[in-house]
Amino acid sequence: MKKVIGSLVVLALLSVLPASAQGVRFGLKAGMNNTSMKFDASVFNSENRFGWFVGPIVKVGLPVTGLSADIAALYDQRETKLNSESIKQKSILIPINARYSFGLSSMANLYVAAGPQFGFNVGSENFNWKESDSYSNTFQLKKSKFSVNLGAGVGIGEHFELGFTYNIPLGKTGDATWKNTVDAVTSKSTYNENGSANAWTLSACYFF
């Protein structure tokens, strides 16, 4: 169901591209990300972790010189370590970027890009681990999230692009909760903290 939702989002966005758009290019995008999971509370120790992503991309030239737009549907897998436990997140990401490029030569150009990104969790939503015999923790990922991408890159020839992007979450990635399992039967007390995951990404695109 989540994959269907992601596909519908892509189709809807493609349908509203301006009719005067030129130079539609289809391609494949792949890369790696470095994720840092951060919390408002200091009870969690986080470590940067690498992940990867791959999927189709469409780039559309706009009537204004140097301007274009792109949209992709990416399968993304990333991992973050909280204390001694690893959390692996699998998502379908839909980044939509406005781009401005300027030529360095006939064979290369630079571009800057920015735009929103929609994410849909397609992996596990709950992760559990024990801190001790008395305490257990639960991390619950949100089913969807919204973020913004800021990036730049270089185009090489007619087919290749190398890019660098910083992803900034605007919605909650998940709720971190910790629970006293001994008292849970009687008190049912739970404490919540909001979590977010920032990511640096390096990508390569090949346009057909």
Side-chain angles (χ1 to χ4, degrees), residues 59-153:
K59 182 171 67 172
V60 181
L62 301 178
V64 179
T65 302
L67 288 181
S68 62
D70 68 57
I71 180 172
L74 307 172
Y75 172 79
D76 177 276
Q77 182 170 303
R78 61 186 66 182
E79 187 176 359
T80 298
K81 189 173 183 180
L82 295 177
N83 292 336
S84 60
E85 298 293 328
S86 293
I87 292 177
K88 184 177 292 185
Q89 184 178 8
K90 300 176 182 179
S91 305
I92 298 296
L93 304 180
I94 312 293
I96 309 161
N97 294 307
R99 302 156 48 112
Y100 179 76
S101 60
F102 47 94
L104 296 176
S105 67
S106 60
M107 292 299 294
N109 66 83
L110 293 177
Y111 72 86
V112 291
Q117 178 171 286
F118 303 90
F120 304 92
N121 182 29
V122 295
S124 299
E125 296 179 3
N126 296 288
F127 300 87
N128 304 285
W129 69 93
K130 295 187 66 175
E131 285 293 319
S132 66
D133 292 336
S134 300
Y135 288 88
S136 65
N137 293 319
T138 298
F139 184 84
Q140 183 178 53
L141 291 169
K142 292 296 183 181
K143 295 181 179 179
S144 62
K145 56 185 180 291
F146 177 73
S147 59
V148 169
N149 288 323
L150 302 175

Side-chain angles (χ1 to χ4, degrees), residues 36-50:
S36 177
M37 192 72 75
K38 297 180 180 179
F39 292 89
D40 295 334
S42 60
V43 293
F44 289 105
N45 296 320
S46 65
E47 296 182 5
N48 291 332
R49 282 320 218 17
F50 287 101

